[in-house]
Amino acid sequence: MTGTIVKSNERKLTIARSMAEALAQEMRIDPTVFVMGEDIGTLGGVYGNTRGLIEEFGPERVRDTPISETGFIGAAVGAAQDGMRPVVELMFVDFFGVCFDAIYNLMAKNIYFSGGHLKVPMVLMTSTGGGYSDGGQHSQCLYGTFAHLPGMKVVAPSNAYDAKGLMTAALRDDSPVVYMYHKGLQGMGWLGTEPGATVHVPEDSYTVEIGKAKVVREGRDVTIVSLGIGVHHALKAADTLAQQNVSAEVVDLRSLVPLDRDTIRASVAKTGRLIVVDEDYHSFGVSAEVIASVVEHDLSVLKAAPVRVAYPDVPIPYARVMEQFCLPSPAKIVAAWAQMAA
Amino acid sequence: MTPSRDELAWMYRNMVLSRRLEETISKIYFEGKTPVFNMANGPIPGEMHLSNGQEPVAVGVCAHLTAEDIVTATHRPHHQAIAKGVDLDAMVAEIFGKATGLSGGRGGHMHLFDPKVNFACSGIIAQGLGPAVGAALSRKLRGLPGVAVAFLGDGAANQGAFHEAMNLAAVWKLPFVCVIEDNSWGISVPKSASTAVARNDVRAAAYGIPGHYVAGNDPLAIYEVAGEAIARARAGAGPTLIECETYRLAGHFMGDAEGYRPKGEKEALFAADPIPKMRARLLAEFGFSEDELVAAEGAAADRVAAAIRFARDSADPRPEDALTAVFA
Ligand SMILES: Cc1ncc(C[n+]2csc(CCOP(=O)(O)OP(=O)(O)O)c2C)c(N)n1
Ligand SMILES: [Mg+2]
């Protein structure tokens, strides 16, 4: 999955642990890095991604906050402009509604408003995704909402190797980075984890460049582009398609902003067909942007109309049968191929 | 203001009903979730926030309300829904995600909506405030009776929406009462670490309205303070802010290991369980008989069992119905 050669005795980490490790390693070498959020201290984060930090760095640098997202995310912007490198957690991305001004009008714009004289080196970590019946205010992805608005980089890892490297890169970036991690990949047993997300992670610090997608499976007949948990659906679909003698290439976006349009275009130029898988809402989102990247560039490479496998434009229902009906799945990707090939 | 005998019986019955429901849910919740606990599995998937211990606030306040009054609740809404008279069968069916549920399975446990009794929820902290204030405004503009009550947790009082809505309600003198359930925790963060004042009632001063703190998780004391506030709101004298001490006997959500609790806290809370306390007072001070209370407890158990049976026997929604009811 990561492209590294994995020996069986190599250490594997969950995304949660790899995020925490990247944070700890950076906090050891950079005293300006500190973390704020709800339940990120004593509890170690609802999703485990700050586990162990308060024990090592203490409550001054690992700060449990009141339920005051506008306050503490706005405060992170101010601290970042003043020379710190804050990391803030928005527990569920669905909660952005109570604090978006601090994010998109301050965090994302103050570099520009200063004519580039200011730096806003901060990371906003936030969990995404559903599939476990948490209802319509705790299950959204909202990738497109964040990626749409200029001034913030946006990353979304699909596995622990990328999760650590992207976190380290985000922490060292002088621009704000929104780090969107999918709950179903986190390695928290109670959320039911996709095993493919838990991979070998080197102990030493390293970065994964923000803005670079990765071809995680090579193929000839169709390109499946996705991010986060969708990459795992795509890989499973590719396995099924292989049994039908269809060779699918899978592109893991890893970053949404900047979007690696070159990698997408190169893959589709090779395969001629494009399926985009996105757990975010169907319309006005990442899936449309990926397709636009191809068709605006060179329509002639396409042998068929691109297809989206995305979340229908409805609030996320609670009942399992309804939610599962709406979610992207390997079977839906295989069906998309059938539609495309027909 | 002391509750009548009928009101006392109503309060006790609803406290027991609520507790019995939560205890039953907590057993069913683990069906399909052992030996491996995965929230997605079992007949009741997703997060589950139980209200065990917080019943006094719901009954002490809702004893003064009728169906036409408005209540907005939180991510922890079951006790409030019961006290407000939400249809129990449809509510439990919703918690099971069934077609017969309040919203046909679209909402779930954090999104219980029953327009017949003007009950609504939000799982986003403090977001019940605005809608409650707006409903109060609607009644005032139309000259219609009715008071709006927003319930929230102590942690929610640190959210911007709380302050904005309180000020609106005060400046427009709306028939609104804000009731904070102070269980002293917001997930793993103690109130003392998150809130600049020990008691949120003092914040009423910032809006120029009366504020009250009710200690002891005592349904009768809550009844008295809420009764005055609601009467005041009905009389057109404007909003009140009430904070009630209460106890969260369960974890924040089911599956919470509660490692953040100080040693002995749970034992102390259980020793102060408001239901046995209320029971003892009904017997000792208010002339209730043992038989009467046993009968009420039995009826509550039967009612919960019937609602659970209804929910289990109900059909799942049709998957494609997920695409309906988006617009009016
Ligand atoms: C705006 C927002 N931020 C964070 C959360 C996550 N969250 C759910 S419940 C909770 C704690 C709430 O504490 P409190 O208001 O005291 O209510 P309690 O759970 O104690 O009943 C938090 C932080 C949320 N639902 N909405
Ligand atoms: Mg609380």
Side-chain angles (χ1 to χ4, degrees), chain A residues 39 43 64 66-69 91-92 95 98 132-134 137-138 189-192 312 314 317-322 325-326, chain B residues 37-42 45-47 94-95 97 105-108 110-111 122-124 127 158-159 187-188 194 317 319 326:
Chain A
D39 306 283
L43 196 69
D64 271 328
I67 311 169
S68 306
E69 291 86 354
M91 189 188 290
F92 289 71
F95 305 162
V98 303
Y132 62 104
S133 294
D134 215 3
Q137 293 176 341
H138 291 77
W190 54 275
L191 282 166
V314 302
Y318 162 70
R320 183 185 294 120
V321 291
M322 286 176 157
F325 173 80
C326 293
Chain B
F37 181 71
N38 175 349
M39 244 182 215
N41 296 334
E47 281 180 80
E94 185 62 32
I95 294 168
R106 292 176 185 80
M110 283 188 270
H111 309 289
S122 174
I124 305 294
Q127 289 298 329
N158 297 317
Q159 189 67 216
I187 312 185
S188 71
S194 68
V326 179

Side-chain angles (χ1 to χ4, degrees), chain A residues 92 138 165 168 183 238 278 298 331 336:
Chain A
F92 289 71
H138 291 77
T168 304
K183 282 169 263 170
D278 184 7
D298 184 0

Side-chain angles (χ1 to χ4, degrees), chain B residues 88-164:
Chain B
L88 191 70
D89 286 340
M91 168 178 156
V92 175
E94 185 62 32
I95 294 168
F96 277 72
K98 294 300 183 78
T100 52
L102 288 167
S103 71
R106 292 176 185 80
H109 123 94
M110 283 188 270
H111 309 289
L112 304 172
F113 284 75
D114 190 349
K116 287 202 284 294
V117 295
N118 291 299
F119 185 87
C121 294
S122 174
I124 305 294
I125 297 304
Q127 289 298 329
L129 273 282
V133 167
L137 174 64
S138 161
R139 296 297 169 89
K140 183 171 178 171
L141 289 176
R142 291 185 294 155
L144 293 175
V147 168
V149 176
F151 287 98
L152 61 152
D154 53 295
N158 297 317
Q159 189 67 216
F162 166 78
H163 299 280
E164 296 185 21

